[in-house]
């Protein structure tokens, strides 16, 4: 088990902040990603990027989001409203992990969040 790098004191307090996830919120893919995360860190999590100090367009051009032809957009408020945690993880100050304790209900809650899917014009086809 690896220790996760958490950025102390980095909290998303503004509920209107947009979170970006590469691809659709497909339950099967989210489950696979959460299981992979669990095998490394011992907790379930899904990676997202907070749109702060950058635009969605700027994030869409950067790895890893440029790899996806579509992007899912959620808000901090909607993720927290379904009982998820937003954990500041990694060195990138925009990277957060949507954390949850139960795989099935966690994925279902994330999929149920109000969100929209937009095309990524910068996708490296």
């Amino acid at each position: 088990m690896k220790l996760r790098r958490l950025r102390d004191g980095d909290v998303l307090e503004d509920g209107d902040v947009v979170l970006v996830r590469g691809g659709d919120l497909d339950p099967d893919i989210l489950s696979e990603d959460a299981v992979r995360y669990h095998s490394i860190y011992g907790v379930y999590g899904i990676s997202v990027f907070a749109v702060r100090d950058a635009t969605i367009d700027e994030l869409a051009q950067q790895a890893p989001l440029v790899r996806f032809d579509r992007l899912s957009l959620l808000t901090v408020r909607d993720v927290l409203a379904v009982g998820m945690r937003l954990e500041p993880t990694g060195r990138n100050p925009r990277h957060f992990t949507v954390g949850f304790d139960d795989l099935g209900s966690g994925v279902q809650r994330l999929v149920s969040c109000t969100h929209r899917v937009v095309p990524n014009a910068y996708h490296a086809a």
Side-chain angles (χ1 to χ4, degrees):
M1 210 91 25
K2 287 175 103 176
L3 289 177
R4 295 184 308 155
R5 177 179 165 76
L6 295 172
R7 297 183 310 275
D8 289 334
D10 190 355
V11 178
L12 287 173
E13 295 176 321
D14 181 351
D16 292 329
V17 169
V18 173
L19 302 171
V20 182
R21 165 91 181 152
D24 295 314
L25 296 186
D26 178 281
D28 293 332
I29 293 171
L30 292 173
S31 291
E32 289 172 16
D33 288 351
V35 167
R36 186 176 316 109
Y37 193 89
H38 188 275
S39 71
I40 298 168
Y41 299 109
V43 295
Y44 293 110
I46 300 292
S47 291
V48 295
F49 291 87
V51 179
R52 58 181 190 180
D53 303 324
T55 65
I56 294 171
D57 247 22
E58 290 169 324
L59 291 178
Q61 296 176 58
Q62 301 172 14
L65 295 177
V66 73
R67 293 190 334 241
F68 297 91
D69 64 343
R70 291 186 305 264
L71 303 172
S72 293
L73 309 178
L74 310 97
T75 65
V76 167
R77 177 179 297 104
D78 291 332
V79 170
L80 296 178
V82 296
M84 307 300 257
R85 299 184 302 271
L86 281 171
E87 302 163 340
T89 51
R91 288 178 173 42
N92 182 334
R94 294 183 189 106
H95 186 270
F96 283 78
T97 299
V98 177
F100 45 95
D101 299 321
D102 179 79
L103 179 62
S105 70
V107 167
Q108 187 55 44
R109 284 183 286 151
L110 186 57
V111 170
S112 75
C113 278
T114 300
H115 67 283
R116 62 188 176 107
V117 178
V118 298
N120 184 354
Y122 304 98
H123 171 63

